[in-house]
Structures are given as C-alpha cells and as structure tokens.
C-alpha cells in the first residue's frame, strides 16, 4: 500500500484536528469524553502486570492518579503545540512551577531566575528554595548579565520571555547556547505565548511551563498548569510527579480541552483588539507609556518579530499627570473592564501593578500608576470609548495628544 503524504498543517489546524477518540457502537463524539476513575479494572492478572510494566514509559490507563484518557488527550495536544516530548498537568500554573523546582533542583544547587518572573515565584524562592538550601540569583530580563552570574554550583536558568508586566524578551537561543556550555537546564514560563505565540522548546529550552488557567482554557473558569519537556528532561519530572501523586481532575481537563479548540481564533481577536486599544492609548495625554512587544517602540520589538508569532491581549500602561485618587477613580469608572487578576479569558480586565514588589534588580520606585490591561473579545471600539469616558470622569485629559 502506498502511504498518502499529508501536507504539513498549521498550528490552528492541529488545534482543531488533534484528538484521541473513543469509538462506540454507532459513532464517536468530537471531543474525548470525561473519564472519571480511581480504580481501573483489567481482564486478567497478566493484563494488569503488563500494563503496570509499561506505565513509566507509555500512556497506559492503570490508576486514577497515573493518568486517564481525558488527561492524556489534553497532555498530547499541549505536547504537540509546544513541540515537546510529553506534557504533565498540574492543579495550577504555580503548582506546575513548584513541581519543576522540586523535580530538577537539590540542596546546594544554584538557580538563575529572570527578574521579570511571575511575582509569586518570588514566594517560591523565599519559602521553598531558601528552606531547602537552593540559592537563587536574579538576572536582567534581557539576559545581558546572565553569563557572568553563572557559578560552579549553578544548575538551571529560569526565564520568562516575554516577561510579566513589561514583556521584556531575552534571546532564548543564545541563552540555550550558554546553558549548554555550562550544562544548565533551561526552564521557560511560556504563559504569555501559551503554546501558540512562542515556542521555548523549539528555541532551545528543556522545559516549558504554561498556566492553562489563562489562554488555553480561555473562559476564566478553571485552574490548571502544564509542563512540557524534551525527551531528555522528561523522566526526572515524571518520577517526581508520580512520587507526589500529582494529577488533575478529568473534568478540569475536559474544560481546557474544550477551550483550547478555539485558542487560535480567540488569540487573533485578542491581538487585534489589543493593537487597536494600544494605539489609542499611546496617543492619550494621560498615558506616559504603553508596554507591548508588538509596538515598534518596545525595546525588544525585533526579538519579538523574530521569535513570536503575534501578540496576545496583554498591555501594560503607565499613567501620568493623574494623582492616586484620580487613578482609583479611573479604574472604578470603567464599565467594560473587570477589576481582577489573571487573564486569558474572554473578558477585558484591569489590575494595578506594584513594580517595587514585582522586581528586585532595577529600581522601579519611580514607576507609579502602572496598570495591566487584558483586552478581551469585546469590540475594541467599545473598549476605547470606555477608557475615554473613564479618563474624563477621573479629571484627566479629554483630548488626544497629536
Ligand atoms: C498566571 C500565571 C502563572 C500561574 O498560573 P495559576 O494557574 O494562576 O497558578 C504562572 N506564570 C505566569 C506568567 C502567569 O501569568
């Protein structure tokens, strides 16, 4: 039989078409069903033994916490999108990060972490790393000071690119080359890219973490983290997950599986909306700066063009000529932006950022009134009107700078 050559398909197509299927008498559902199970039954003792023998290397259904068909289906889809060997799911994005630290680092090790890291990782550093004798040094989000901060006991580099709040980028292929020279593991938080806009594993990282809570689920109704690794890095993570009994609910996996099918379409709408709003904000008299890597004025815009496939709904602004009370009034006067943390859902959000707490290497104390916006799937012209009226109520400038 001659094999049919499939044309290579785009990410958007594989998001829709990739799937594990269950066949029933008659036909099959489009999505894999929710399989709820603790006990798994076998046809014979021999069947049970052979399944258990294969479960460290194969995706076999042997016990509720050791993976089930719904979770495997989501793991396979994320692994495919991330370009990795395998994926493991966690109850939250932060739990995924914590398990990565637990799995790969030991007392006495030294880790280098980007200063643009998701802020709760700093709690992991003070409450976990310090307690277990793992030392941490922060490096500039662009990575310019990274190599000289490497020590004899260094074991890993943790990057977040684009970084939290200001979206600084590092040259990941270059960092991966430095890491190979010093035998360091490269871990990337890829929540910004969410397996569709950025691909750390394809750029040389060993481990990629995505908070599926955000864009993969897309509906602000589920918490989940996903860690995808290269083949070489897999067994270390896998063993520690098995040791800790780490698993997620198949109901939650189902929600993410359902959400992820519209990821490509949603992300394009988030991106278009964010660019419309960013361009309007950039011309507003009360806006000192708009941070977004897709804007030509962003310091790593060229790196973003080289390594990212578009942007998402995130924008950060720094306001000017408004006092603390006026900024509060501005936020409270918005009708279409929810006041809340997290992002990646279909709705627009706004949240103030404390740059002094978020960063430790650079003094951002002069950077007050920094607000992070998530542009949802609403009509961006409505969002612009909402921002305009909120500036007016706050006593800000009503007309545009030219
Ligand atoms: C939200 C977020 C996380 C953590 O995800 P949770 O599911 O909320 O724990 C990790 N990294 C980044 C960059 C995030 O934005």
């Amino acid at each position: 039989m001659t094999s049919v050559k499939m044309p290579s398909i785009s990410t958007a197509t594989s998001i829709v078409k990739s799937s594990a299927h269950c066949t029933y008498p008659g036909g099959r559902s489009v999505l894999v069903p929710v399989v709820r199970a603790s006990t798994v039954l076998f046809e014979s003792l021999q069947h049970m033994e052979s399944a258990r023998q294969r479960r460290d290397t194969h995706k076999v259904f042997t016990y509720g916490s050791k993976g089930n068909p719904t979770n495997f289906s989501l793991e396979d889809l994320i692994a495919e999108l991330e370009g990795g060997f395998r994926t493991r799911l966690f109850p939250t994005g932060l739990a995924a990060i914590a398990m990565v630290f637990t799995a790969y680092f030991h007392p006495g090790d030294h880790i280098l972490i980007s200063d643009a890291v998701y802020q709760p990782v700093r709690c992991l550093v003070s409450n976990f790393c310090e307690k277990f004798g793992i030392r941490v040094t922060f490096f500039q989000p662009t990575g310019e000071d990274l190599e000289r901060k490497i020590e004899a006991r260094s074991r890993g580099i943790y990057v977040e690119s684009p970084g939290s709040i200001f979206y600084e980028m590092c040259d990941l292929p270059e960092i991966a080359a430095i890491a190979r020279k010093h035998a360091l593991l490269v871990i990337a938080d890829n929540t910004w890219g969410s397996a569709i806009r950025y691909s750390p594993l394809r750029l040389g990282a060993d481990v990629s973490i995505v908070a599926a809570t955000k864009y993969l689920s897309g509906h602000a109704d589920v918490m989940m983290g996903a860690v995808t690794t290269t083949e070489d890095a897999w067994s270390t993570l896998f063993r520690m997950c098995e040791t800790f009994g780490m698993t997620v609910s198949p109901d939650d996996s189902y929600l993410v599986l359902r959400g992820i099918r519209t990821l490509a379409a949603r992300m394009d709408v988030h991106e278009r909306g964010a660019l419309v709003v960013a361009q309007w904000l950039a011309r507003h008299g009360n806006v000192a700066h708009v941070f977004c890597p897709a804007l030509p004025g962003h310091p790593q815009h060229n790196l973003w063009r080289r390594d990212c496939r578009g942007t998402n709904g995130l924008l950060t602004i720094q306001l000017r000529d408004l006092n603390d009370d006026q900024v509060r009034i501005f936020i409270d006067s918005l009708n279409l932006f929810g006041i809340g943390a997290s992002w990646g859902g279909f709705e627009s959000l706004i949240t103030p950022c404390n740059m002094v707490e978020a960063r430790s290497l650079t003094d951002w104390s002069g950077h007050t009134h920094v607000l992070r916006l998530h542009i949802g799937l609403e009509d961006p012209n409505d969002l612009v009107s909402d921002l305009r009226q909120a500036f007016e109520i706050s006593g800000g400038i009503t007309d545009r700078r030219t």
Side-chain angles (χ1 to χ4, degrees):
M1 213 177 101
T2 52
S3 65
V4 182
K5 198 156 181 257
M6 283 285 287
S8 70
I9 57 173
S10 73
T11 304
T13 306
S14 45
I15 286 174
V16 173
K17 296 313 282 185
S18 298
S19 182
H21 290 303
C22 290
T23 309
Y24 302 98
R28 62 171 175 83
S29 56
V30 174
L31 276 182
V32 66
V34 176
V35 177
R36 299 199 54 90
S38 54
T39 300
V40 174
L41 300 175
F42 301 90
E43 295 307 318
S44 64
L45 189 56
Q46 199 267 327
H47 180 204
M48 183 173 85
E49 286 164 353
S50 85
R52 285 187 176 177
Q53 266 161 22
R54 286 182 299 128
R55 72 182 174 193
D56 283 355
T57 47
H58 293 76
K59 281 164 265 181
V60 281
F61 187 31
T62 60
Y63 186 60
S65 65
K66 302 212 175 261
N68 84 29
T70 318
N71 294 1
F72 286 146
S73 181
L74 178 58
E75 288 173 355
D76 288 347
L77 183 45
I78 295 173
E80 182 181 339
L81 297 180
E82 286 268 70
F85 174 65
R86 277 185 65 179
T87 296
R88 183 86 183 203
L89 305 174
F90 297 84
T92 66
L94 188 57
I97 298 169
M99 184 54 73
V100 164
F101 277 55
T102 312
Y104 293 107
F105 303 120
H106 304 99
D109 286 356
H110 172 249
I111 324 172
L112 296 127
I113 300 183
S114 165
D115 201 38
V117 75
Y118 173 63
Q119 199 178 323
V121 172
R122 292 177 187 272
C123 299
L124 200 58
V125 169
S126 53
N127 294 334
F128 172 76
C129 294
E130 285 176 14
K131 181 171 163 186
F132 289 95
I134 299 166
R135 281 181 315 106
V136 169
T137 301
F138 285 93
F139 63 90
Q140 290 293 348
T142 53
E144 71 220 33
D145 54 348
L146 176 69
E147 192 158 17
R148 64 179 167 78
K149 290 184 168 173
I150 294 173
E151 303 177 7
R153 299 300 304 263
S154 297
R155 292 291 175 268
I157 301 172
Y158 186 100
V159 304
E160 190 179 316
S161 179
S164 279
I165 306 176
F166 289 158
Y167 320 109
E168 300 98 323
M169 289 192 68
C170 61
D171 190 328
L172 193 49
E174 203 177 292
I175 286 182
I178 294 170
R180 273 194 296 278
K181 237 174 27 189
H182 298 269
L184 307 180
L185 188 80
V186 179
I187 300 160
D189 183 328
N190 191 28
T191 304
W192 186 97
S194 277
I196 185 167
R197 289 301 194 234
Y198 190 61
S199 300
L201 297 176
R202 294 189 174 100
L203 295 171
D206 304 286
V207 176
S208 176
I209 305 167
V210 174
T213 308
K214 308 275 171 64
Y215 283 118
L216 301 194
S217 88
H219 294 74
D221 57 355
V222 61
M223 303 290 305
M224 194 177 289
V227 179
T228 308
T229 79
T230 59
E231 188 166 0
D232 285 348
W234 174 254
S235 64
T236 304
L237 178 77
F238 175 80
R239 270 199 313 275
M240 197 56 92
C241 290
E242 295 293 287
T243 304
F244 276 65
M246 190 57 70
T247 188
V248 302
S249 160
D251 294 289
D252 290 347
S253 279
Y254 179 83
L255 285 174
V256 178
L257 265 174
R258 183 163 140 144
I260 207 171
R261 300 296 172 164
T262 55
L263 175 65
R266 282 187 283 112
M267 201 65 107
D268 287 349
V269 179
H270 285 296
E271 173 180 78
R272 276 204 301 278
L275 293 175
V276 169
V277 174
Q279 274 146 19
W280 184 83
L281 284 167
R283 292 195 302 264
H284 195 281
N286 285 118
V287 178
H289 204 85
V290 182
F291 298 88
C292 169
L295 298 180
H298 189 273
Q300 288 86 45
H301 179 66
N302 287 338
L303 214 45
W304 172 82
R305 289 179 73 98
R306 189 191 75 184
D307 290 346
C308 294
R309 295 176 300 279
T311 190
N312 57 23
L314 288 174
L315 299 174
T316 300
I317 54 174
Q318 189 187 3
L319 299 178
R320 69 169 174 207
D321 301 331
L322 292 176
N323 61 32
D324 291 355
D325 289 339
Q326 288 175 307
V327 172
R328 297 186 78 89
I329 294 168
F330 168 72
I331 294 172
D332 284 338
S333 303
L334 290 164
N335 298 311
L336 299 179
F337 288 79
I339 301 171
S342 203
W343 39 269
F346 50 82
E347 79 293 16
S348 288
L349 297 171
I350 189 161
T351 188
C353 306
N354 183 334
M355 291 313 297
V356 176
E357 285 174 10
R359 302 290 169 95
S360 53
L361 284 188
T362 311
D363 179 15
W364 291 104
S365 55
H367 281 65
T368 49
H369 303 152
V370 173
L371 307 177
R372 190 185 62 208
L373 280 67
H374 178 248
I375 304 304
L377 304 180
E378 305 90 343
D379 183 329
N381 296 315
D382 293 334
L383 297 175
V384 163
S385 303
D386 194 34
L387 290 161
R388 182 189 291 119
Q389 64 81 30
F391 275 123
E392 284 172 16
I393 294 173
S394 72
I397 295 165
T398 52
D399 54 350
R400 293 170 168 206
R401 258 186 293 157
T402 46

